[in-house]
Amino acid sequence: MYLVSNGIVSNDIILFLVPNRPKSSGLLLRDGKKRIDYILVYKKSSLQVEKRCTFEKNLRAEGMVLEKEPSLTNNDIMFVKIHAPWDTLCKYAEQMNIRMPFRLIRRISSNLISSLLYFSWLPRNPMKLDKAALPDLQDTDCYTAPFTRARMHHFTINSRQSFFSNSTRSRIVHHVLQRTKYEDGKSKMGINRLLGNGTYEAAFPPHEGGYKSRHPIKTHGAQNHRHLLYERWARWGIWYKYQPLDLIRRYFGEKIGLYFAWLGWYTGMLIPAALVGLFVFLYGLFTMDSSQVSKEICDANTTIMCPMCEECEPWTLSDSCVYAKVTHLFDNGGTVFFAIFMAIWATVFLEFWKRRRAELTYDWDLIDWEEEEDELRPQFEAKYSRVERVNPISGKPEPFQPLTDKLSRLMVSVSGIFFMISLVLTAVFAVVVFRLIAMEKFASFDWEFVKKNWQFATSGTGVCINFVIIMSLNVVYEKVAYLLTNLEHPRTESEWENSFALKMFLFQFVNLNSSTFYIAFFLGRFAGRPGKYNKLFNRWRLEECHPSGCLIDLCLQMGVIMFFKQIWNNFMELGYPLLQNWWSRRKMKQGGGGGPNAETTATLPQWDKDWNLQPMNAHGLVDEYLEMVLQFGFTTIFVAAFPLAPLLALLNNIIEIRLDAYKFVTQWRRPMPARATDIGIWHGILEGIGVLAVITNAFVIAITSDYIPRFVYAFKYGPCVDKGYRNEKCLRGYMNSSLSVFEMGEAYNGSQGQTRFCRYRDYRAPPWSPAPYDFTLQFWHVLAARLAFIIVFEHLVYGIKSFIAYLIPDMPKGLCERMRREKYLMQELMYEAELTHLHKEKKKNGKRYHHEWP
């Protein structure tokens, strides 16, 4: 265990020292011996004096040592420092069934798959952390057993000061705080209720000193765990290194440790997906000029196309040469392969994460841990205090929510969700109307460059406006989700968090993807045909797809939203806390509220430094998971249209890991080290996204892209029908086959020799046929092929996914054997230790007997 050095000061903060205070780092009480395990903060002006006094009196009755200290930066703030003595820690460690070290051993904590994935088999792996850089993590794997005071002699207690880690001590104190009464004779208890009614302003475990040192860590070592985390995890210069998960778990707890383990695993699994996606993109880039479809479009100097808007003129097909080549980058032969690959990748990612999670729960002693029953939320207790029932677990009476009340509130909440979803659809409809208006304006623009590229201008402005609407509505959705969740009155905090997380995901998922679904499956599908176009409100003609297809619009939509959303999220995650903490430091430098203790400038105690940091997000890890889960959806659902999505996600996540690490270590107060065995409701959401991704990619390939029409032409109508080979030459004449003829009339038969006939993208009979403008046989062949492809693709991919899930067990076989062997060895060790203890006691009693015998 590291000792915290005195006088480690952050150079960019002006600090103050209380006169006559013993010199310490702010981690010890005034006696310089007892460690501070928890900090409570309250305002002197608060009116909840009686509740606070009763609460603190009951804390002392539980064995806690309390010490009060005024703030050096605000006269109205008072700190209550809490220390848990050895006897109290042992008592509650036994009650909480905390597993403690029994005997040192060596474990194998990673399997062959994770070793291969993370390249740990290389002789000199540059991504691997040097073991010498993490001295506190060496030789810590050991047998553990639930702590009991009766068998304390079984445990390896080298020092009472270091036997319980700082995070374990904080968790024990938090357990006591949650169950201490604040009103005598009543069942009202818990620090959360006191935080809710304003009795206390904050409650948090202190950071273990500063995160920076004047001396290099290589020569002088780490000053504390926080300093070690900053140097080996949160610094941007080590972005390519593995995360020290054991140290993260030890400092922040298993729940946050699992989040970073999952984020690191997800980022590592994105590497093969990004490489394959980049390969598909490069394949499209290198074959762009040799594409038969692109060649035919670029060479079609005499093919006159029908006007694409009311203000537009007929145009030649060769004008869209660049558009056709760019479309080929994303709509090529590798599209289907990559869609199947990503569907399988999502399954492999989730299945191997289950195995990785099983290893972590074993290494972190969470196999036999059962989540403690959450305490009732204060709002639930206050609302239903008059209706009680007997808790089937504890056997004690508790408030109860009647079924009718629960159903009525749930119906109101569901109605609110549907209302917000309808608001999203309304916003999408408004963007569609804007695109129709902008289409006409850009087509008649005075600037020739804009007039010539009016489709790009329309799509670009539409995407940008849609992005602004998405980010604006996200702010509204968070407040609405918060209100609807509180309206439901969830019974416990975990129920509240799951309900809130589900609402936030539904809101933001629909908000983020609704416009993308419109472009993928509705844009250009209902525009009609020349001479019989469909118009919105009988005023604006509906937007058409380009002759090369609508896939480029979908790519533009996904690329812009994904890129700018990641930049915005990263700025808000780091920029906002930095600005808030800068403002706090500025007030401290100006002595704002400093009072009588702000006369000398030296070192602020740790509790004052932590108070001036930002608290962890009130929603816990919901926002962190939500951002990554939405990104996972964007990476998998429409990946057939945008193969670079995994690469963008990989680059973002490399930054995200260090950004979150920097935020947790330097900008936020230390959160309570909570325990957890999995990522909760998010795993089910990820599996649902994986299922949805198969369906959407099947429809994107079959409907949005031109893969199926090209396939049908090559096998049924092209020049290679009777030949045994298939290549680009088999698509010769495809463009002409996919364009129908429309008679524009005498008005367009001008002096420049223009024909009165124009071409448009559809499979319809020419005007001189017996049934003009009816669908041709080729149309029905393409439609049947599209439907058949959807069915075959979905069944094939689902079959492969299910087979892979069956082949990969949730827990490695070697881990199961190690767990069974450890259980056996633990029984043997406990038996041997008990025999040794009894033998020592017998010898001790025998010596005492002979000594006392006359």
Side-chain angles (χ1 to χ4, degrees), residues 355-578:
R355 295 167 63 88
R356 177 61 175 157
R357 184 198 67 82
E359 293 175 354
L360 289 174
T361 53
Y362 169 74
D363 291 338
W364 294 352
D365 287 322
L366 296 172
I367 294 293
D368 297 327
W369 180 77
E370 294 183 1
E371 190 169 352
E372 300 175 8
E373 184 183 6
D374 287 338
E375 66 171 4
L376 298 178
R377 300 184 71 241
Q379 298 85 344
F380 181 87
E381 185 182 37
K383 179 69 177 178
Y384 302 104
S385 57
R386 297 182 180 180
V387 184
E388 290 188 348
R389 71 165 186 178
V390 176
N391 188 304
I393 299 176
S394 65
K396 299 178 180 179
E398 66 176 10
F400 172 70
Q401 184 180 16
L403 181 60
T404 54
D405 181 81
K406 186 174 184 178
L407 289 177
S408 61
R409 292 180 178 276
L410 187 61
M411 290 298 297
V412 173
S413 180
V414 171
S415 300
I417 293 174
F418 278 107
F419 172 77
M420 295 307 298
I421 291 177
S422 64
L423 183 61
V424 173
L425 300 180
T426 303
V428 173
F429 180 76
V431 173
V432 171
V433 174
F434 167 80
R435 289 173 64 106
L436 299 180
I437 298 174
M439 179 177 64
E440 293 185 357
K441 299 298 181 183
F442 285 131
S444 58
F445 210 72
D446 293 334
W447 190 8
E448 186 64 24
F449 177 78
V450 176
K451 185 176 182 180
K452 187 176 181 180
N453 299 279
W454 61 269
Q455 283 184 302
F456 276 113
T458 301
S459 299
T461 53
V463 170
C464 293
I465 291 177
N466 187 46
F467 174 75
V468 173
I469 293 176
I470 287 174
M471 302 312 296
S472 301
L473 289 180
N474 279 347
V475 178
V476 179
Y477 294 157
E478 182 174 352
K479 298 183 182 299
V480 172
Y482 188 83
L483 291 174
L484 291 178
T485 306
N486 285 336
L487 179 66
E488 294 175 6
H489 286 297
R491 181 176 172 272
T492 62
E493 289 295 336
S494 61
E495 291 180 6
W496 188 96
E497 183 175 331
N498 287 338
S499 179
F500 178 77
L502 184 60
K503 290 183 181 62
M504 285 294 293
F505 170 75
L506 288 175
F507 286 163
Q508 294 206 19
F509 180 82
V510 174
N511 186 32
L512 190 65
N513 293 284
S514 55
S515 57
T516 310
F517 270 91
Y518 164 74
I519 293 176
F521 304 125
F522 296 97
L523 180 63
R525 309 298 167 196
F526 309 99
R529 62 170 178 83
K532 196 177 180 181
Y533 283 114
N534 297 320
K535 294 185 177 182
L536 185 64
F537 304 132
N538 292 323
R539 168 66 179 86
W540 296 292
R541 175 177 153 184
L542 295 181
E543 197 172 355
E544 290 184 70
C545 286
H546 192 270
S548 300
C550 286
L551 200 66
I552 190 64
D553 295 274
L554 184 58
C555 294
L556 183 64
Q557 174 83 11
M558 292 185 61
V560 170
I561 290 180
M562 190 172 186
F563 179 75
F564 284 108
K565 188 176 186 299
Q566 289 178 348
I567 292 179
W568 175 259
N569 287 339
N570 291 338
F571 172 77
M572 289 301 297
E573 282 191 22
L574 185 60
Y576 186 64
L578 281 174

Side-chain angles (χ1 to χ4, degrees), residues 17 63 361 370 569 611 728 731 740 765 790 812 818:
L17 180 66
T361 53
E370 294 183 1
N569 287 339
W611 167 246
E728 283 290 331
L731 292 176
S740 299
I790 293 174
R818 292 202 302 270

Side-chain angles (χ1 to χ4, degrees), residues 193-263:
R193 293 180 175 88
L194 295 177
L195 291 172
N197 60 29
T199 303
Y200 290 99
E201 296 297 314
F204 52 87
H207 276 297
E208 298 181 11
Y211 63 88
K212 287 186 178 181
S213 174
R214 295 171 179 172
H215 307 291
I217 190 174
K218 291 184 179 180
T219 57
H220 290 73
Q223 303 299 318
N224 51 67
H225 285 112
R226 189 186 185 196
H227 181 212
L228 186 61
L229 278 171
Y230 176 76
E231 291 291 337
R232 302 304 181 195
W233 181 47
R235 284 194 304 111
W236 298 100
I238 56 172
W239 60 270
Y240 59 94
K241 294 286 188 179
Y242 294 154
Q243 300 182 89
L245 293 178
D246 288 333
L247 186 60
I248 297 170
R249 165 249 181 172
R250 187 170 302 181
Y251 193 81
F252 291 110
E254 286 80 2
K255 189 173 185 179
I256 293 176
L258 273 175
Y259 163 70
F260 282 104
W262 175 83
L263 180 57

Side-chain angles (χ1 to χ4, degrees), residues 762-783:
D762 208 342
Y763 296 101
R764 292 180 182 272
W768 53 81
S769 67
Y773 306 121
D774 281 355
F775 288 119
T776 62
L777 183 61
Q778 188 174 355
F779 168 83
W780 299 109
H781 286 164
V782 171
L783 179 61

Side-chain angles (χ1 to χ4, degrees), residues 704-755:
T704 311
S705 78
D706 269 1
Y707 176 79
I708 298 301
R710 293 197 300 264
F711 181 85
V712 171
Y713 177 81
F715 278 82
K716 184 67 177 177
Y717 299 94
C720 302
V721 173
D722 299 327
K723 299 178 181 180
Y725 63 94
R726 296 290 180 268
N727 53 32
E728 283 290 331
K729 294 182 180 179
C730 297
L731 292 176
R732 188 176 300 162
Y734 166 74
M735 211 58 226
N736 183 64
S737 173
S738 64
L739 297 178
S740 299
V741 180
F742 174 71
E743 185 176 7
M744 295 185 291
E746 298 295 335
Y748 288 96
N749 193 6
S751 60
Q752 297 181 356
Q754 290 180 334
T755 178

